[in-house]
Amino acid sequence: MPKIKTNSGAKKRFTLTGTGKIKRKHAFHSHILTKKTKKQKRNLCHAGLVDASNTAQVRELLCLR
């Protein structure tokens, strides 16, 4: 049986932590930043974790079981 390919988009967007959780970046921090407040931009720059309801779906895209 052939190997399953990792989803290229997911590979670029998610990383694993040491404990096995999945880290993600916030959206809305790449362009049109002039109309956003300093506070909003500052809060978007921190990485977050993928929600428990989406973890299984992301793990499947990354070929982690």
Side-chain angles (χ1 to χ4, degrees), residues 5-17:
K5 289 186 178 182
T6 301
N7 183 283
S8 297
K11 184 170 44 177
K12 296 167 194 171
R13 286 171 174 85
F14 302 106
T15 53
L16 279 177
T17 63

Side-chain angles (χ1 to χ4, degrees), residues 27-45:
F28 307 110
H29 192 62
S30 58
H31 60 94
I32 316 175
L33 298 173
T34 52
K35 63 175 79 169
K36 293 171 187 153
T37 62
K38 286 180 189 177
K39 181 179 180 180
Q40 193 175 0
K41 289 183 275 192
R42 184 173 62 245
N43 290 334
L44 288 172
C45 78

